[in-house]
Amino acid sequence: MTTEASPRPSAAYDELASLLRTAATLTSIRATLSWDQETVMPPRGGSFRAEEIALVSTLEHERLTDPRIGELLAACESDRGLCSNEAIAADLREIRRDFERATKLPTELVAEIARTSSEALEVWKEARQRSDFALFRPWLEKQFRLAADKARCYGIPEGGELYDPLLDEYEPGASAREIEGIFGPLRAALAPFLAEILAAPRAIDPSPRALRLPLARQREFSRFVAERIGFDFRAGRLDESTHPFTEGLAPGDTRITSRFSEDHATDALGSTLHEAGHALYEQGLPKDLHHGLPLSQAIGLGIHESQSRMWENQVGRSRPFWSWALPEAKRFFGPALEPLSVDQIYASVNQVRPSLIRVEADETTYNLHVMLRFDVERAMVRGDLRVADLPAVWNERMRGDLGQEVPDDRSGCLQDIHWAGGAIGYFPTYTLGTLYAAQFWEAIRQAIPDLDEHLARGEFGALLSWLRENIHAHGRRWRAGELCLRLTGRPLGHGPMLRHLGTKLRPIYGI
Ligand code: ZN
């Protein structure tokens, strides 16, 4: 962070920062409760946990909408000296955005959404396990009803739709129409590429995927790799959960989870790299300096996802990475891996296989999973699709888009945690992040011409420093689109992602 952002230049700004720090402390308490619910809480703790989360959310919302924040904000905005500092002006712009949004929501609705999300999560876990959509359906209906209520409170932007204010929560400034404008051409470009790969004569050696590796060793190896790429375990933890996630709980406390199974060792490593990528962003935000202020927070979920996807895909599915990681893996796993070559594992982690589960999807088909979710959640928010009809529509799309027959809702519309937890409007950020990652990667390769040699030596410092300096250190100083322009000179597009896939997969498949 540059020093211009650090001084406390006015009494009003000081008091504003102090109020926001208190609200952020409540946010941190709520996040700790959620983390606990997702990782170690026993099932019967669910209903009281919902009460706890609803109460903390209420207190948090009361703090965030305190009229004193409005007064101080207005005072700061009219202080020309203060606003001449670019970083502080950006900070005030984002505080204004947050305040305007928060004050549009009644506290009762915020509490109701928090309580429902916590309760629905427990029902979803059971419904998913039993593949019982009927059990989850009333909760899903309630979540979409509450989301629509929330969107109405925020208000529909001119020329926009009810989905927009929901999306805006995760990707500030984005609209459904814009997403459509990005997804449409991407889909059109992906379809022939995918067809070409699926028709390729060369088959990928299945032996690496058939390996069964002990869970304890997998956990140790994941931890080793996370630490090696820069995850600071003095300021973080790695645990396990059904749905891997990252929670930046507080300054000095970033938690990630992964999931392990004996026969999917490389998936587990990919999942750890993904979450560690999120965590490196959280650990790189200047939280000690600006806790509670936008300058210490992530820009949005698209950029957050760009960090996780980059470590998972651009790094973790590259040949240089595996030329370092395979010998290391052999140290951990012993004779089981001895016969394996870098070529075999590299081809294996890049195998394109249309499948049912988003989080297990390869890089080429992954975005088709996201597009499906964007289309159906948008239709449900608009009221064009009834929740009751979701399984049928989902299964139809899986057949059409990915050629997959969905055997049960557990492998279909019940697979993701997001809607249960109230995250409606979130899914598009996965594809935005994937596209940002590929576009940033081209800029990084220019900035660090010998990047491959670094990766092949297991040295990730130069890459992490670039990310820290150019992205992490700035918090919400720029919006995602502006950051993209600054770093790459172009608005977001799908060209770099297609180049990334083509350059890698064409030689692997011999096409
Ligand atoms: Zn992610």
Side-chain angles (χ1 to χ4, degrees):
M1 202 70 218
T2 49
T3 45
E4 52 174 339
S6 351
R8 303 271 179 72
S10 86
Y13 186 73
D14 256 1
E15 190 185 341
L16 182 60
S18 154
L19 290 178
L20 291 172
R21 249 193 312 277
T22 309
T25 303
L26 287 162
T27 309
S28 165
I29 293 169
R30 179 168 55 82
T32 308
L33 291 169
S34 297
W35 177 86
D36 176 89
Q37 179 174 5
E38 277 310 291
T39 50
V40 292
M41 188 193 78
R44 288 182 63 191
S47 54
F48 190 69
R49 177 54 44 87
E51 288 310 312
E52 292 172 328
I53 289 181
L55 175 60
V56 179
S57 299
T58 302
L59 298 174
E60 189 186 343
H61 189 254
E62 283 169 1
R63 295 284 179 155
L64 288 171
T65 55
D66 182 345
R68 182 72 184 145
I69 289 183
E71 291 164 19
L72 293 164
L73 191 51
C76 289
E77 286 165 339
S78 61
D79 181 337
R80 289 174 66 181
L82 196 61
C83 294
S84 66
N85 180 314
E86 194 207 326
I88 289 177
D91 210 20
L92 295 172
R93 177 198 72 216
E94 296 298 302
I95 296 170
R96 168 62 67 192
R97 167 191 150 87
D98 295 346
F99 183 67
E100 299 280 314
R101 281 177 64 86
T103 49
K104 283 179 181 158
L105 297 184
T107 306
E108 304 73 47
L109 181 62
V110 172
E112 173 76 351
I113 289 173
R115 186 182 297 108
T116 304
S117 299
S118 179
E119 286 173 336
L121 223 47
E122 294 306 305
V123 181
W124 167 76
K125 285 181 197 168
E126 199 188 334
R128 178 176 176 271
Q129 200 176 24
R130 290 167 35 187
S131 197
D132 183 352
F133 182 74
L135 177 66
F136 185 52
R137 183 182 139 185
W139 290 90
L140 193 56
E141 283 168 344
K142 188 171 181 190
Q143 283 294 42
F144 272 89
R145 209 164 47 238
L146 288 171
D149 288 348
K150 182 167 71 168
R152 274 184 219 100
C153 292
Y154 283 140
I156 301 174
E158 212 180 300
E161 60 181 78
L162 204 53
Y163 185 83
D164 291 344
L166 300 174
L167 172 66
D168 181 62
E169 191 164 326
Y170 305 106
E171 192 64 16
S175 70
R177 190 166 297 170
E178 267 171 39
I179 298 291
E180 213 176 52
I182 294 169
F183 284 12
L186 173 60
R187 174 191 281 277
L190 277 175
F193 180 66
L194 179 61
E196 219 184 323
I197 285 184
L198 295 179
R202 190 180 294 171
I204 304 290
D205 177 3
S207 58
R209 287 197 73 82
L211 283 168
R212 295 178 68 83
L213 297 173
L215 294 178
R217 287 271 136 168
Q218 286 194 42
R219 290 188 186 101
E220 286 167 23
F221 187 57
S222 262
R223 197 182 155 91
F224 165 74
V225 174
E227 190 157 33
R228 185 68 176 244
I229 67 170
F231 182 74
D232 180 0
F233 277 94
R234 293 163 309 164
R237 290 180 56 89
L238 167 60
D239 295 275
E240 287 175 49
S241 66
T242 332
H243 214 293
F245 68 96
T246 300
E247 191 74 78
L249 291 182
D253 191 352
T254 297
R255 313 274 177 101
I256 59 176
T257 67
S258 193
R259 65 176 169 198
F260 302 94
S261 83
E262 281 188 346
D263 50 356
H264 290 107
T266 52
D267 288 351
L269 181 66
S271 149
T272 303
L273 278 169
H274 180 102
E275 301 306 332
H278 279 303
L280 291 176
Y281 186 19
E282 287 291 325
Q283 291 186 333
L285 290 165
K287 295 185 188 185
D288 290 333
L289 222 50
H290 309 287
H291 181 52
L293 295 173
L295 287 175
S296 75
Q297 296 161 351
I299 295 178
L301 271 296
I303 296 299
H304 224 306
E305 199 62 21
S306 76
Q307 301 305 288
S308 58
R309 303 286 290 165
M310 185 181 291
W311 287 99
E312 179 190 5
N313 295 330
Q314 272 76 14
V315 176
R317 283 175 158 136
S318 71
R319 181 192 288 275
F321 173 81
W322 279 103
S323 63
W324 165 75
L326 184 62
E328 293 293 343
K330 287 180 178 178
R331 269 196 318 120
F332 277 79
F333 296 101
L337 292 192
E338 266 326 310
L340 216 56
S341 71
V342 172
D343 279 346
Q344 280 174 301
I345 189 99
Y346 170 63
S348 174
V349 297
N350 284 296
Q351 186 174 10
V352 178
R353 291 173 312 142
S355 63
L356 291 164
I357 309 292
R358 177 184 61 85
V359 295
E360 291 166 8
D362 58 79
E363 281 181 87
T364 308
T365 57
Y366 182 84
N367 296 294
L368 300 174
H369 289 268
V370 174
M371 291 173 193
L372 182 163
R373 286 154 177 78
F374 165 62
D375 290 339
V376 298
E377 70 176 3
R378 185 186 185 193
M380 288 193 288
V381 169
R382 284 168 153 188
D384 296 343
L385 171 64
R386 293 186 320 146
V387 167
D389 297 328
L390 173 65
V393 170
W394 183 287
N395 298 353
E396 184 58 43
R397 279 288 298 263
M398 283 303 288
R399 204 173 294 130
D401 293 4
L402 287 143
Q404 298 293 300
E405 286 303 323
V406 180
D408 50 29
D409 292 330
R410 178 193 157 90
S411 325
C413 66
L414 285 178
Q415 66 181 269
D416 292 303
I417 193 171
H418 305 66
W419 295 333
I424 294 167
Y426 184 117
F427 279 116
T429 65
Y430 286 121
T431 288
L432 294 179
T434 305
L435 299 178
Y436 279 126
Q439 198 157 325
F440 294 165
W441 192 251
E442 290 191 344
I444 294 170
R445 294 199 78 95
Q446 290 200 335
I448 314 173
D450 57 345
L451 181 58
D452 281 350
E453 287 87 79
H454 284 254
L455 301 184
R457 291 193 300 266
E459 289 168 12
F460 304 98
L463 172 58
L464 183 56
S465 299
W466 191 95
L467 296 171
R468 291 269 197 258
E469 202 176 303
N470 290 285
I471 301 175
H472 304 176
H474 303 287
R476 289 163 67 186
R477 186 162 178 175
W478 305 293
R479 290 275 168 85
E482 199 188 337
L483 178 74
C484 184
L485 271 179
R486 293 180 72 97
L487 297 182
T488 73
R490 282 196 212 104
L492 183 66
H494 66 259
M497 217 272 282
L498 264 292
R499 278 196 288 279
H500 161 74
L501 291 178
T503 315
K504 184 162 62 168
L505 295 174
R506 287 188 183 281
I508 290 178
Y509 278 91
I511 52 172

